[in-house]
Structure formats: C-alpha cells, structure tokens
Amino acid sequence: MHYRLRYLHHDLALTDGQFAVGRNASCQLSLDDPLVSRRHALLTVGDGGITIEDLQSRNGVIVNGQRITARVALNGGDRIVIGAQELTLLEGRDTVRETQTAAIGNRTLPRIQAGDGSHPPADDNTVVSVPAPVGPSRGEPDAESSVARRADAFSLLGKVAEKALALGRTEEAERLLTAALADVMEGSRAGKHLPPALVDTAARFASKLASSTTKGAWVDYTIELYVAQNRVCPGPVIDELYAALRKVSAFDIVRLRAYVARLRERLATFGPTERFLFQRLEGLERLAGLR
C-alpha cells in the first residue's frame, strides 16, 4: 500500500521506514510552528500499515480530533494535527491533479513556514512560495531592534489576517500569522523582555486562530505566553478564549489550571481590574473542567 501526507497543497509520498515530524531541521518533515516540538511525532510505514506516536511533545498529537496517548494505527483519510498544522493521510493515488509530490525517504524536506502576506492568497491548486519568517537574525545588534521587528510583523500582517478571518479564510490567516507568532514565542521562551502590547497582540491573534481553526494548541500558545510574562490576560484575550473553549477539539487543561493557581498566589497584590479579570479566568477554568 502506498501512502501520502497532504499538507498545505503538498502531497508527500511516504516510503517504508520511520519519519520524524518536528521543528528540528533534522526531521524528515520540518515544520516552522511555535506549537511544534523539536521532535514532535514519529510515523512508521511498513508491510503492516502505518502508525503514528507522540514523542513526548509539548502540545501532543491529535488524530481525528482525539489526542493520542500511545502508538496508533492510521487509515486513509485520517486527519492529524501537529501543533497548529493539519495533515491528511491518503492511500494510493488520487485522480485529482497533484500540485507537488515529494518522496520522504533518506532526505529531509525543506522547512515549511508561513508567508509574510506579500504574496496573493493561495487557491486550491497553488503551492505558496514561502519566505523566511519575520524576526531577528543571528548576530542582531540589540534586543530593541528584535522587538521592533516583531511589532512590525504584526502591523504588516494584522490587517490582512483580520480580513481573512472575517471572510472565513482561516487557513490563509493561519499561514500569514504563524511565523510572526513563532517569533514572539521564541523570544518569550528565551526570556527576552517583550512589551505587553506585543504579547497581547500575539495572544489575541492566537486565541482568534484557536476559535476559527478549532485547534486547542493555539489556546495552549496563549496560556504559555502569559505564564512566561507572569501577568493576567487582558479582557479581549479572555473573551476570545471563552469563544475558543466552546469549539476546540483538545487543549492542555493542566497548563490552564497551573496558570490560574499561579495567579491566585498573587491575588493580594492585584488591583480591582486585575481581580475582575482573574475571576473571569477562574470561570474559564471551570468551563474547561466541564468539557
């Protein structure tokens, strides 16, 4: 049986063997996504079929809407979510014209990453030409220019992404925003000081993507940002999270509970506005527990 993975209008032919998926360039399929771990998942193709397992990733692997906890067998048509990226497993060959087919074997595929909004939206038969993500380069002279680039990325992409979301073009909005969101998360994980306005903008877009894509990994992204910043989510982000939690397929409730517990320890230092926002987060936690 021949298998292929369909991802962003690419058809990737799978040959017998093991294939790692993750952010690391050494993976056979390397995804530039802040929600994807360095080595996130492993697919194994053999005479008995194809399986997938989670390599103890941060955000897990979702198959047909369910987070897997062990190696599972896959069938044609199965939908796999890794980070914020969705892949579909195909068996044999379709009669529909393929836009691009590449064998995943002894070589590593190029990193697949979001565009910067300068190219026209892709249609169903187009492979997007993808430039490097907006962000600091190696040897950047100072942190201030890095922060400025992150802010510029959202000022350039935000309006376009908002329009795409309003028109229901969710995949396009996600492609536009992923690289900029990855850059903010990378800076946060590196312990860099990020302006609250930049964090709030990234979190608002991530939570909007969670609601529009139904991918809980974007909820996890939002919570992780505020855990790192050690502050309360602003009202607009909480509003988006409430909307998202009614739609997402799976998310890390343990992370949300730990965030609320951490804020509770600081409750005595909060002013009236922060106390009100904290109460809304407690309500969000209760809503999550009812799922």
Side-chain angles (χ1 to χ4, degrees), residues 232-233 263 266-280:
V232 184
C233 293
L263 292 176
R266 299 174 48 216
L267 189 58
T269 68
F270 289 169
T273 300
E274 287 179 312
R275 284 179 177 269
F276 173 71
L277 293 173
F278 174 72
Q279 289 173 356
R280 296 197 64 201

Side-chain angles (χ1 to χ4, degrees), residues 2-284:
H2 298 287
Y3 297 97
R4 291 173 293 130
L5 278 178
R6 179 160 291 173
Y7 173 66
L8 289 183
H9 312 294
H10 296 254
D11 277 358
L12 311 174
L14 303 175
T15 56
D16 287 356
Q18 292 188 322
F19 311 100
V21 181
R23 283 191 299 116
N24 196 306
S26 66
C27 292
Q28 278 76 18
L29 178 56
S30 182
L31 304 175
D32 189 14
D33 182 328
L35 304 175
V36 174
S37 297
R38 292 183 182 279
R39 282 179 58 83
H40 197 112
L42 185 69
L43 291 96
T44 303
V45 182
D47 293 338
I50 182 168
T51 62
I52 189 169
E53 59 187 295
D54 183 4
L55 297 178
Q56 298 182 329
S57 65
R58 182 189 297 264
N59 291 309
V61 176
I62 311 298
V63 176
N64 296 329
Q66 299 294 320
R67 184 166 181 164
I68 65 173
T69 57
R71 181 182 296 182
V72 300
L74 296 174
N75 299 297
D78 282 350
R79 298 170 63 188
I80 305 160
V81 176
I82 295 176
Q85 311 307 314
E86 183 172 299
L87 306 94
T88 302
L89 181 70
L90 304 176
E91 291 182 348
R93 299 184 62 86
D94 288 349
T95 57
V96 177
R97 182 171 68 87
E98 297 173 6
T99 56
Q100 181 173 345
T101 302
I104 305 179
N106 295 324
R107 67 187 184 89
T108 300
L109 289 172
R111 293 178 68 77
I112 299 174
Q113 50 200 23
D116 66 354
S118 61
H119 298 278
D123 59 27
D124 289 342
N125 293 312
T126 303
V127 177
V128 179
S129 176
V130 287
V134 178
S137 60
R138 292 186 180 181
E140 191 170 89
D142 53 52
E144 187 174 333
S145 60
S146 174
V147 169
R149 289 189 182 188
R150 293 185 179 101
D152 287 346
F154 282 114
S155 67
L156 290 169
L157 299 176
K159 292 181 181 179
V160 180
E162 290 274 18
K163 289 181 180 179
L165 288 170
L167 294 171
R169 290 152 62 172
T170 300
E171 290 185 3
E172 180 186 338
E174 191 173 38
R175 285 197 301 270
L176 287 168
L177 292 168
T178 295
L181 290 171
D183 192 37
V184 172
M185 181 59 76
E186 182 178 339
S188 180
R189 288 174 178 169
K192 294 182 180 179
H193 171 71
L194 301 177
L198 177 60
V199 172
D200 293 344
T201 300
R204 184 171 63 85
F205 277 121
S207 53
K208 277 180 175 289
L209 288 175
S211 184
S212 57
T213 66
T214 71
K215 296 175 184 176
W218 286 119
V219 173
D220 299 338
Y221 174 101
T222 303
I223 298 302
E224 182 178 344
L225 269 186
Y226 286 105
V227 168
Q229 300 300 310
N230 196 28
R231 66 184 183 89
V232 184
C233 293
V237 174
I238 295 176
D239 290 341
E240 292 291 347
L241 288 174
Y242 266 96
L245 255 60
R246 293 182 172 90
K247 300 178 181 180
V248 297
S249 55
F251 64 96
D252 190 348
I253 190 172
V254 174
R255 180 177 301 175
L256 173 60
R257 286 172 173 164
Y259 172 55
V260 173
R262 183 173 178 179
L263 292 176
R264 189 176 291 114
E265 294 174 354
R266 299 174 48 216
L267 189 58
T269 68
F270 289 169
T273 300
E274 287 179 312
R275 284 179 177 269
F276 173 71
L277 293 173
F278 174 72
Q279 289 173 356
R280 296 197 64 201
L281 284 170
E282 285 186 313
L284 189 72

